[in-house]
Amino acid sequence: MAARIIPVEDFDLVIFGGTGDLARRKILPGLYRRFATGQMPPEARIIGAARGEMDAEGYRAFVRAALNEFLAPGDCAPADVARFLDRLDFQSVDARGEGGWDEMKPKLREGVVRAFYFSVSPSLFGDIAERLRTHGLAHRDSRIVVEKPFGHDLASAKALNAELAAHFAEDQIYRIDHYLGKETVQNLMAVRFGNILFEPLWNHQYIDNVQITVAETVGVGGRGSYYDHSGAMRDMVQNHIMQLLCLIAMEPPAKFDPDAVRDEKLKVIRALDPATREHTVRGQYAAGSDTPSYFDDVENDASETESFIAMQLSISNWRWKGTPFFIRTGKRMKARLSEIVITFQPTPHSIFDADAGGMPNQLVIRLQPNEGMDLRVTIKEPGPGGMRLIDVPLDMTFAERFGQEAAGSDAYERLIMDVIRGNQTLFMRGDEVEAAWAWTDPILKEWEEKHDRPIPYEPGSAGPDQSLALLHRSGRAWREIKA
Ligand code: NAP
């Protein structure tokens, strides 16, 4: 079965930061893939914008090099690449100056969707938003896409929201979190709300615990100075993991409509109990045989920033009271893996011998690598060995069933197509972001005030042993981190 491609409306997309790392690695290759599959209309235009001086030809050469670098050779059919490059233009503009804006205007067409992607530092969001309006480049139905990080704490997130709200209405603002663009994340909603099977069991009576793991093998690398001011809590928990948790825990919305979905997610964040130090483990990777320590990477041996965090969270509402949500994320861990594991309660009574085997059912939702879902069920071990039980996965991996198109498209490209469609369901609303920071701020402040030092952990491990103890004390265990 092949994935269906539904073309979007004709559009003009301006990428501020069109020469930056994110544009080169993700946005432009993603747009090319949408073009090559026929989803991006052949008339649509992409206009790169940055301070550097470049003409359209120069930008095309720049983008050609990016496509060659970041796309698989098989993806770059020369005729498609040439037609795609033909859709590109460039405008030199300084977010903080007045030059270039009026020259951008004739490059935009009337009567097509108009979107502006702010792939620049958040410190420029307000300047760009203001100039788009004062130079008459944005209409009431134009859209802006803003990148993370959306704030450093509640105060800065509120300030950013206010800067954008001064020039754009909330229904024009698309705060991107690429985790929400992953096929599996969207499928989580389809599985929950498109089937009768799961929803009756989706509560504290039948779910023993939920685990969310986002593990990376890399260290902080060249992002040391940024990361040391951020840490795992701000970089991963406050946004990506919080969003995943909301999708797992939210009530069924009345319809699949952006505000209905986001209202339900917001209620989850508001029902989260405050994070406590007692239920949190923070770590920093030590040096390995050929890898530097976190201190070396950030060049600060007094750093109190965590490169690993594990937490036990509770949601105080009727559905979830008593079901712990365990989350963990870290760098330099044993494998690269993003996974959600829903562990159901054991059967109330086993009719089989105590040593027959069998485990509670688990729904394993893998975001990377190999996006897909496994429902682990207990069956009889085939063969003549008597009634012995084994757990087998009912595999719902997309690559096999729907082909590479479904499995291989990137979250960024899906989300950009949603911007063009005007669908905000998978984008964070301003009040959601503020609620997430309101939950995160107190614990961040407490660590700072108490000068909590993260615990060193071995690179290539699952983080500090104390993170295992977080589950052991209630007789549970993390699912192993395995690629
Ligand atoms: P980058 O490589 O530093 O690129 C920044 C871009 O902004 C360049 O095109 C730069 O070109 C342009 N720029 C800088 N100052 C400008 C100004 N005053 N006016 C107009 N354009 C200006 O940054 P990046 O890594 O692409 O990141 C962009 C945004 O995405 C950041 O908010 C980042 O946090 C976020 N993000 C990045 C990644 C990633 O993987 N890279 C992932 C998630 C989020 P000129 O210098 O020529 O102006």
Side-chain angles (χ1 to χ4, degrees):
M1 199 186 312
R4 255 188 321 147
I5 304 293
I6 300 171
V8 296
E9 272 181 70
D10 193 8
F11 65 86
D12 286 345
L13 171 69
V14 178
I15 308 173
F16 292 100
T19 54
D21 177 66
L22 184 65
R24 277 177 2 95
R25 281 192 312 111
K26 292 285 181 188
I27 304 173
L28 289 157
L31 284 164
Y32 165 75
R33 271 195 296 257
R34 294 296 94 207
F35 181 83
T37 59
Q39 189 165 34
M40 176 175 150
E43 310 76 31
R45 290 195 196 163
I46 298 160
I47 297 138
R51 287 168 305 180
E53 289 294 339
M54 219 185 261
D55 60 11
E57 269 321 304
Y59 192 54
R60 287 177 189 136
F62 172 88
V63 175
R64 183 190 286 279
L67 299 185
N68 285 337
E69 188 174 347
F70 295 107
L71 286 171
D75 282 349
C76 289
D80 286 345
V81 171
R83 284 193 306 123
F84 176 73
L85 295 178
D86 204 36
R87 307 319 307 148
L88 303 184
D89 203 343
F90 187 80
Q91 179 59 51
S92 170
V93 77
D94 183 349
R96 297 206 158 118
E98 301 309 324
W101 296 92
D102 290 336
E103 289 76 4
M104 188 182 287
K105 208 168 182 177
K107 297 186 171 164
L108 299 172
R109 295 167 298 160
E110 295 299 331
V112 300
V113 172
R114 192 175 283 190
F116 301 95
Y117 198 129
F118 294 13
S119 180
V120 292
S121 157
S123 62
L124 299 176
F125 288 177
D127 295 300
I128 298 178
E130 182 181 347
R131 285 178 174 79
L132 285 176
R133 193 178 53 84
T134 54
H135 289 269
L137 290 161
H139 298 142
R140 173 60 188 90
D141 63 350
S142 301
R143 289 134 215 197
I144 60 170
V145 185
V146 296
E147 263 299 334
K148 78 160 204 175
F150 201 86
H152 186 74
D153 54 16
L154 179 58
S156 55
K158 279 187 165 171
L160 265 184
N161 272 337
E163 280 185 84
L164 297 179
H167 308 287
F168 289 90
E170 182 61 35
D171 65 7
Q172 297 179 279
I173 305 171
Y174 291 71
R175 293 174 195 78
I176 205 161
D177 180 336
H178 69 277
Y179 266 60
L180 292 185
K182 291 195 177 282
E183 188 74 22
T184 330
V185 171
Q186 299 176 49
N187 209 11
L188 174 60
M189 284 192 275
V191 165
R192 273 196 68 189
F193 304 128
N195 296 287
I196 193 75
L197 282 179
F198 293 102
E199 203 46 31
L201 306 181
W202 209 261
N203 58 53
H204 68 99
Q205 272 180 293
Y206 294 102
I207 293 184
D208 177 77
N209 74 89
V210 176
Q211 301 181 10
I212 305 176
T213 297
V214 178
E216 296 176 281
T217 49
V218 293
V220 299
R223 292 169 73 219
S225 59
Y226 159 77
Y227 193 90
D228 205 35
H229 287 101
S230 166
M233 183 71 164
R234 287 188 171 94
D235 196 48
M236 279 287 177
V237 175
Q238 183 275 341
N239 39 45
H240 306 316
I241 292 182
M242 182 76 84
Q243 289 294 317
L244 299 179
L245 184 139
C246 286
L247 294 175
I248 299 161
M250 71 182 189
E251 294 300 315
K255 48 191 170 183
F256 192 57
D257 153 290
D259 278 329
V261 171
R262 297 184 301 175
D263 287 347
E264 296 306 335
K265 283 164 59 199
L266 181 61
K267 286 184 207 162
V268 174
I269 305 176
R270 290 187 173 153
L272 267 179
D273 287 350
T276 62
R277 290 163 79 225
E278 178 200 348
H279 286 118
T280 303
V281 176
R282 297 165 73 228
Q284 263 170 351
Y285 55 83
S289 55
D290 54 0
T291 52
S293 68
Y294 179 79
F295 289 154
D296 292 337
D297 271 346
V298 301
E299 296 173 1
N300 172 14
D301 53 13
S303 170
E304 290 170 359
T305 306
E306 73 287 348
S307 63
F308 170 94
I309 189 167
M311 303 177 95
Q312 176 177 341
L313 308 181
S314 313
I315 301 172
S316 277
N317 61 20
W318 276 41
R319 186 186 283 265
W320 293 116
K321 192 68 192 172
T323 296
F325 283 68
F326 298 104
I327 63 171
R328 66 178 161 172
T329 179
K331 295 199 174 281
R332 282 248 196 279
M333 299 188 67
K334 64 201 288 191
R336 177 170 171 265
L337 169 88
S338 298
E339 191 175 78
I340 301 167
V341 182
I342 316 277
T343 303
F344 292 86
Q345 299 283 4
T347 52
H349 164 72
S350 174
I351 64 167
F352 304 107
D353 290 344
D355 63 354
M359 269 180 55
N361 297 122
Q362 278 189 331
L363 179 64
V364 180
I365 303 155
R366 273 190 323 274
L367 279 70
Q368 64 186 20
N370 308 326
E371 281 196 71
M373 291 195 195
D374 276 350
L375 179 63
R376 304 194 71 87
V377 293
T378 299
I379 60 161
K380 178 189 169 296
E381 190 175 332
M387 183 53 93
R388 301 205 53 81
L389 305 180
I390 54 163
D391 300 293
V392 293
L394 292 183
D395 191 347
M396 300 188 254
T397 306
F398 309 118
E400 284 160 27
R401 189 165 289 267
F402 293 101
Q404 239 4 83
E405 168 54 28
S409 56
D410 185 89
Y412 272 96
E413 60 201 73
R414 291 206 197 95
L415 291 172
I416 297 172
M417 292 299 107
D418 274 0
V419 173
I420 306 302
R421 288 192 194 97
N423 186 344
Q424 288 186 305
T425 310
L426 298 173
F427 296 82
M428 292 175 292
R429 207 168 56 190
D431 53 359
E432 258 186 276
V433 177
E434 289 185 14
W437 279 120
W439 178 82
T440 315
D441 263 11
I443 187 95
L444 286 169
K445 203 159 157 225
E446 209 177 327
W447 295 336
E448 234 172 84
E449 282 170 2
K450 302 219 157 78
H451 291 289
D452 274 358
R453 296 298 298 255
I455 305 160
Y457 61 92
E458 289 301 311
S461 70
D465 287 347
Q466 286 81 344
S467 130
L468 309 181
L470 201 60
L471 278 78
H472 285 174
R473 38 186 198 232
S474 60
R476 299 177 171 100
W478 290 107
R479 190 175 139 92
E480 199 191 336
I481 296 179
K482 221 167 34 180

